[in-house]
Every structure is written in structure tokens, then in C-alpha cells.
Amino acid sequence: MLRTSSLLSAVAVLSSSPVMAEHTLDNVVITAPQSDSVLTVTTDPKAPRQPVPAHDGADLLKNIPGFAVIRKGGTDGDPVFRGMAGSRLSILLDGDTVLGGCGNRMDPPTAYVFPQAYDSVTVLKGPQSVQHGPGSSAGTVLFERHKPDFSVAEIQGDASLLAASADRNDQMAHLLAGNQRGYLDLSGTRSDANNYRDGNGDEVHSAYTRWSGNAAIGWTPHTDSRIELSAGRSDGEARYADRAMDGALFDRSNAALMFEQQNISDSLASVKARIYRQYVDHVMDNFSLRSASGMKMVSNPDRETTGASLTGRWTPGLATDVRTGIDYQKNQHRIRNANNMMDMMQTPDADQLHRNEDMRFETQGAFVELDHKYSDGSSLHTGLRINRDEAEDLRANRTTSGDKDINLLHSMFARYEWQIFPDQRLYAGLGHSERAADYWERNKNPAAQSPMMTGSASTFDVRPERTTQLDTGLLFNRGPLTGSVSAFYALHQDYILIEQLPDVSAAASNARNIRAISYGTEAEATYQLSPHWNTQSSFAWVRGENDSDNTALGQIAPPQATFSLNYVETTWSAGALLRVVGDQNRVAPGTGNIVGQDIGRSPGFAVFSVNSGWQAGDNLRINAGIDNLFDRAYAEHISRSGADISGYETTTRVFEPGRTWWLQLQASL
């Protein structure tokens, strides 16, 4: 489908291949992987990249044009794509949905992603697919492990070590052993860092530790059949610069059973069934990772998500491919809180308390998606999905206590791709997506009353959001020049806007439906200057309008561009990267999404980085780089505001890291 292209070629571990090519450097991902398929970007999360290789899901996605990240500290930022965040952007791990528990998005789905544990990451832009669940108006991100291939070797493995500024140190190891009858797949990751310093030299409350372990055992009774049982566990802790509490526990466990059968008949190409369970146990407090001068507090939400799916791939003709499927998902959210208000000498212990279930969600869906290719290389793509979505409010003392909200949701798309010339492909697609409100949108408190008071206001019944979007673009490959340009225009009916209500109460926030539009463009190009020199550039811009209030749409990142130049020899490489971000003067303070709201205008900035790589042997590669070479002090426009934390500078926004050096070693069997 897509290749991972780059600007700077350096060293990359060939984890997807058991044997490394002798004395040959692979490409390094710098500004972004480049699209060579319509509305799709695929990248290798194990490949070296600049800025410093990613330690969580959002950190990896931020380098793809159109993405931005809401910074909160050193880890667990929230990804935003084309100005859309939260459940508008689906995050799937091997096809399974993972949902966080924190009511203030301390643990977004990408907080539970360890990129190097996966073989590929695919971004599907816009509502141009219905295979991966309801909603997903902005897009879908698939973190996936590939089916093992033992055609070359029966034992395969790779590992990496990374050291960087702020005492960061990462380790990853992956071992795959098996044959044509079965296999065992084991992987583990760990990442640890202390507080970083921004470009002003100020220390930012941002230290973290993360680890994960995954295991899968597979049985392949014959070439076309596979049964796999997989399980994983991860945990960590993180300090946050944007709030009064830190994350003391991010305990996630998951298990799945998958069955796959290929080549069933002339018309039925494959069938795949999967059941899974994801459980997240999250603890946040204001004393274990910082000094607490007042009352100590702890909050302990958890969330269990279970699901199942059955999909089939049909080939009614040589040029036609049809995918059908049904799926089911249920998730339950619970919470318990404790403090030491009654005894200031004691440390609160939530473990002794009973968890109260506050919301429950359930959805069943069915879809059909068709791809048809024409003799001239052009193609037609269509799809339809129907979901029954149910949410139940189990909270006490709310105006909506005991309510059930049931919605029938429709998603559909149609896209035509013209093969204008062998090296040019033009496309246009129209998609429609309907999304029911998520947990964070339903639990806002738009009044000054305490949740303990009878009849406290609630946003549980906010209407589903409906998005209709036009996507167009062009892919080209003309000799030394390759690239793509895309544009979109989206009409958001009943867009769910989140806003703070400072005139009522500092803790009050509201979720309400508005009419909004958003539109923008992304472009990327690579030019091969000579056999050893190449350059790449990218550009992304988006604009949002709140038509109901005649204001800008909140939390829209400013335009940004990247420019990169690199030189590649057979065993070493060197390169440079410039990222330029514009001003953002179109703001709507106090409004935005479930992650954050606009603070105010922000200035533009430019950041310059360099890297190099050396292949030290057939199976060993070394990468090094310096990000933000000139130690620029800057903050992303959509960054959260800095909190008042004892011993740390309070800033309008959480600043990005200053000059950061990193060194990475990668090896494979």
C-alpha cells in the first residue's frame, strides 16, 4: 500500500525482515511519512525519526502533516488531526478499541500505545472508510502487528536502546520464533525520563516512566488458517505541568482471541473473527509525584471495554472486492475518590472504597464496503455502516440520572479515483459520519451546583454529531519529484462544543451543539537532487468556523511547514530539518474540545534540528540527533496552560523542550 519515505536517510532497524541488507542505510522518517495511496499514510514506528524517536502514540503522530499534539507534560499528549480531537479520531490497537478513564483526559488512548511494539501505523484520513467502527469523522489510526513470516528464518528479533536529554532512556526488545505450524511472539518496551527544560532554561514538571509487555501464541494448522491468542500488560506514572494532579498509575491489561481463514472459495476470499477485552485502571493524585501543601486528593477511575467482530472479504469478480462485517462493543466506566479532609495527618487511600459505576455504553454495528477497479486504472470506492448506540447515565443526583440515550447512527462514503496518467492519480470523495457523544462530553457540569446536590445539571443528553465532508487530492510521481496534495471541506451539524463557564464557577463546563465548518489542506513533496542528496517538504493548514456563534472554532492549530535536506552514503548519513509554524490570531477563548480550550493568540516560531547515522555492521546501526538546535523557547498554540506548581515557573502555555540531544542503537538478528 504505502511506503515510509523520508527526508533524512539514516539507520533503521529492519524489524519486519529477519535479515538486514549488508552496508545499506534505510530511510529515516523526519518530517513525515509520505502518502503514495489515496487518503492513507503508513509508517514504520520502529524506524529512526526526528524529532527524537517517539515513546507514545501521540508523539509518533505529531510528525504527520495535519496532526498536532496538545502538550500536558513529558508524555500522554492528545493528538489532534485537522483541528479535531477526542473520539472524532479513532485509535485502534490491532483492531481493538482502547478508552481511557480520566475525566480530564490524563490518559487518552495514545497514552497506552508503545509505538515500537507495533510493526506499522496507518492513518486513514476523513470519513472515507466504514470498516473500523462508527464516528471517526476526522480519521482512524491503526497500530498493527503483522502476520509472522518464517519464509527466511524461524527465529527473528530486534532491539533498540535510546539515551537523550532529561536523562531519558528507552529500551525495546522483540523476539519471534516459529515455523509454518505455529509461533510465539514476545515484545517488551520501557521508557523513562526526568523533567525536561524548555528553551528558557526553566524546568518543566514532566518526568515519566512507562513500560509494556506483549505476548502472542499462534497456531497455523495449514497455510490458509491461523488462530492467535494474545495478551498484554502495561503501566507507568507521569508528572503533568498543566494541572493540580499527576498520574500515579496507568495499569492496562488486554487479551484477544483471533481466528482467520483465507481462500475459502472463489467468491469468499477470507473470514476473520476476533473477541477482545481491554481494562484500564488509572490513579491520579496530588501528592505522590509532587509536594502537596494542602488537602491530599486521589481519584481512581477504571474502564472495561469488551468487543467482538466478524468480517468477510468477498471477490464477486476479478475487479471487485467487497468487505462485510458486524461488530459489538460494550464499555463500563467506574470511579472512586478519596481525600484527607477529615484527618490531615493521613494519606487518602482509595483502595478501601467501593467503585461506583457512572456510565455504561453499548454499540452494535454492521457495514459493507466495496472497491471496484476499472481497466484504465481508475477505481470506485463506496461504503455504508449502521450502528445502534446506547448510553446509560448511572450517576446519582443528576437531572439525567437513570436516563438512557439510544441513537441509530449512519456512516457512508463514495469516492472515485482517476488514473489520469501512469504517474498521476486524482480523487474526490464525499463522506458522512454520525457520532454519539462520548463519556467526556456527557459528564460536563454546566452549573455551579455540586454533583452531590439533587438535580445538578447534566450534559448527558447532548445530541449526536453529524459530519459531511468532501475530500479531494492529487498524487504524483514525475521522475525525481514525488508527492501529494489534499484538501477537505467539512460541515459539522450538531458539533459538540466544549466551553468553560468562568462566570458561573471555576469548575463549571458545558457541552452544547452548534453548527460549524472546517476546511484545510495538506501537501508534501520529495525531490531527489542527486544520487546522494534529497529534500522533502510538507505543509498543513486548517481553518474552523463556529457558525452558530459567528466566531472561530476553538483549538485549531496554526499553519505549519517543514523543510528537510539530507545526504546519504552507503554507511552514513547526515541531514537537517526546519519546522516553521505561523501565528494563530483566530481564537475563541474558553471554547474547544474535551481535551482543552483556547487560551488566546499565539506567536509563530521556527525550530531547526540536525541528525546523522552510521551503519556499524550488518546487524547494528547507530542514530544521533539534536532537536531544537538553537534552544528556542516556544509553545504549541493548542498546548494546555501551565499550572501553579510549587518550585516551577507558571506559564501561559506548557513550553516545549529546549535543545535535546539523542543517541539510538538498533540491532537485529
Side-chain angles (χ1 to χ4, degrees):
M1 291 183 52
L2 296 184
R3 61 182 171 84
T4 301
S5 77
S6 70
L7 314 168
L8 295 170
S9 291
V11 289
V13 63
L14 293 181
S15 57
S16 59
S17 174
V19 179
M20 300 179 69
E22 184 178 1
H23 303 306
T24 301
L25 285 176
D26 282 340
N27 291 334
V28 61
V29 180
I30 304 302
T31 58
Q34 183 171 305
S35 301
D36 61 8
S37 184
V38 168
L39 294 170
T40 307
V41 177
T42 298
T43 185
D44 177 3
K46 298 181 181 181
R49 60 189 65 237
Q50 191 169 47
V52 58
H55 66 277
D56 69 7
D59 204 29
L60 183 140
L61 293 173
K62 70 182 181 183
N63 297 320
I64 297 175
F67 273 94
V69 172
I70 298 176
R71 180 171 288 281
K72 310 165 191 174
T75 188
D76 302 341
D78 244 292
V80 179
F81 183 58
R82 293 175 166 179
M84 301 291 115
S87 58
R88 299 180 181 105
L89 181 68
S90 292
I91 308 292
L92 301 180
L93 312 184
D94 284 324
D96 302 342
T97 300
V98 57
L99 298 168
C102 176
N104 201 28
R105 296 289 287 190
M106 188 178 283
D107 64 333
T110 47
Y112 298 100
V113 174
F114 298 78
Q116 291 193 75
Y118 296 90
D119 295 316
S120 67
V121 179
T122 302
V123 178
L124 307 176
K125 298 182 179 182
Q128 287 290 310
S129 176
V130 295
Q131 295 184 48
H132 307 288
S136 309
S137 56
T140 301
V141 181
L142 308 175
F143 289 85
E144 296 176 303
R145 296 179 178 89
H146 294 163
K147 179 181 178 180
D149 180 6
F150 299 103
S151 60
V152 178
E154 293 187 346
I155 298 179
Q156 307 167 26
D158 55 89
S160 71
L161 300 173
L162 182 140
S165 299
D167 299 321
R168 178 176 166 184
N169 64 94
D170 294 8
Q171 306 87 39
M172 183 280 293
H174 174 227
L175 178 65
L176 177 63
N179 53 38
Q180 300 306 315
R181 291 296 182 184
Y183 59 88
L184 178 64
D185 192 345
L186 302 173
S187 66
T189 70
R190 182 183 180 275
S191 183
D192 178 82
N194 287 329
N195 294 336
Y196 68 77
R197 292 187 179 274
D198 62 24
N200 293 318
D202 294 326
E203 188 176 357
V204 178
H205 191 70
S206 56
Y208 64 85
T209 299
R210 298 161 43 83
W211 64 264
S212 73
N214 293 277
I217 183 169
W219 178 41
T220 51
H222 54 77
T223 306
D224 295 328
S225 300
R226 181 166 66 121
I227 300 174
E228 182 184 272
L229 177 65
S230 59
R233 186 76 182 268
S234 64
D235 198 359
E237 62 180 34
R239 301 182 184 186
Y240 290 90
D242 69 320
R243 62 194 67 197
M245 302 179 83
D246 298 312
L249 184 75
F250 294 83
D251 188 2
R252 170 188 171 238
S253 59
N254 63 283
L257 178 64
M258 183 273 293
F259 167 75
E260 185 177 25
Q261 179 70 42
Q262 304 281 346
N263 301 317
I264 299 171
S265 69
D266 291 341
S267 59
L268 181 56
S270 65
V271 170
K272 184 176 181 179
R274 186 177 181 90
I275 58 173
Y276 67 92
R277 175 185 182 268
Q278 300 265 359
Y279 176 70
V280 168
D281 187 8
H282 174 52
V283 173
M284 56 194 120
D285 64 44
N286 67 341
F287 55 85
S288 63
L289 299 175
R290 67 174 72 188
S291 300
S293 57
M295 182 175 64
K296 295 181 179 180
M297 301 176 292
V298 58
S299 180
N300 181 200
D302 73 346
R303 194 164 197 163
E304 181 184 48
T305 303
T306 55
S309 63
L310 176 64
T311 59
R313 178 172 170 259
W314 307 79
T315 52
L318 294 177
T320 303
D321 190 281
V322 179
R323 290 176 171 83
T324 60
I326 56 175
D327 44 51
Y328 170 83
Q329 183 199 116
K330 180 179 181 179
N331 70 85
Q332 299 169 290
H333 188 279
R334 302 184 301 174
I335 193 167
R336 56 187 177 187
N337 301 301
N339 60 60
N340 66 347
M341 182 172 62
M342 303 304 295
D343 186 351
M344 300 297 287
M345 301 301 294
Q346 295 294 320
T347 298
D349 184 5
D351 289 342
Q352 306 303 316
L353 302 177
H354 174 72
R355 279 191 171 101
N356 296 309
E357 188 176 2
D358 54 355
M359 285 191 201
R360 185 182 301 152
F361 300 84
E362 186 173 352
T363 184
Q364 306 97 32
F367 74 86
V368 58
E369 192 165 304
L370 178 147
D371 302 319
H372 181 76
K373 296 181 180 179
Y374 297 96
S375 58
D376 64 351
S378 299
S379 58
L380 174 68
H381 308 267
T382 64
L384 171 67
R385 166 178 281 273
I386 299 177
N387 269 76
R388 181 188 183 274
D389 187 275
E390 178 180 320
E392 184 176 4
D393 191 352
L394 302 175
R395 299 171 297 176
N397 304 318
R398 295 298 181 102
T399 55
T400 56
S401 297
D403 282 6
K404 285 188 177 182
D405 185 25
I406 301 175
N407 296 283
L408 192 63
L409 307 174
H410 301 83
S411 298
M412 61 197 76
F413 75 93
R415 183 178 72 254
Y416 191 81
E417 302 178 13
W418 293 268
Q419 193 67 43
I420 306 174
F421 301 106
D423 53 9
Q424 294 182 34
R425 192 169 185 85
L426 179 68
Y427 65 89
L430 185 65
H432 177 79
S433 174
E434 297 180 354
R435 181 186 68 86
D438 59 31
Y439 172 81
W440 297 272
E441 292 161 337
R442 293 182 185 273
N443 74 353
K444 296 306 176 186
N445 180 32
Q449 300 123 318
S450 165
M452 299 302 294
M453 295 175 60
T454 301
S456 287
S458 172
T459 60
F460 178 80
D461 290 330
V462 65
R463 294 190 302 274
E465 185 175 282
R466 297 170 292 153
T467 298
T468 302
Q469 181 168 311
L470 174 67
D471 281 281
T472 63
L474 173 69
L475 280 71
F476 54 89
N477 186 348
R478 302 294 300 271
L481 178 64
T482 62
S484 67
V485 59
S486 61
F488 75 95
Y489 182 93
L491 170 63
H492 308 276
Q493 297 170 292
D494 289 323
Y495 180 92
I496 302 175
L497 184 74
I498 306 298
E499 57 188 354
Q500 296 298 316
L501 302 174
D503 294 337
V504 178
S505 166
S509 59
N510 189 34
R512 62 183 174 93
N513 295 108
I514 64 167
R515 185 183 186 276
I517 59 172
S518 62
Y519 49 94
T521 184
E522 296 111 33
E524 52 196 358
T526 298
Y527 192 83
Q528 194 68 37
L529 298 168
S530 72
H532 296 298
W533 288 92
N534 69 69
T535 183
Q536 188 179 24
S537 59
S538 69
F539 175 75
W541 171 80
V542 64
R543 184 182 179 110
E545 306 279 356
N546 177 346
D547 284 354
S548 295
D549 302 329
N550 293 318
T551 64
L553 196 61
Q555 288 287 276
I556 301 294
Q560 65 173 300
T562 58
F563 307 91
S564 180
L565 176 69
N566 82 82
Y567 179 80
V568 185
E569 286 285 2
T570 54
T571 59
W572 70 275
S573 67
L577 166 69
L578 175 66
R579 176 174 176 243
V580 181
V581 178
D583 300 342
Q584 182 55 287
N585 296 315
R586 300 189 71 259
V587 295
T591 72
N593 50 54
I594 59 175
V595 188
Q597 290 74 48
D598 271 3
I599 300 169
R601 297 180 178 182
S602 63
F605 57 86
V607 179
F608 185 74
S609 305
V610 296
N611 84 355
S612 64
W614 175 47
Q615 183 169 312
D618 290 348
N619 294 357
L620 179 64
R621 303 183 178 207
I622 302 173
N623 321 302
I626 303 176
D627 301 339
N628 193 0
L629 180 65
F630 300 114
D631 207 19
R632 177 71 186 269
Y634 70 100
E636 303 289 348
H637 171 74
I638 60 174
S639 171
R640 299 265 296 181
S641 59
D644 184 9
I645 303 174
S646 177
Y648 297 87
E649 187 77 16
T650 302
T651 56
T652 302
R653 290 178 174 85
V654 179
F655 273 70
E656 296 293 308
R659 184 184 298 113
T660 301
W661 65 265
W662 55 271
L663 175 68
Q664 183 182 43
L665 280 71
Q666 297 182 311
S668 70
L669 295 176

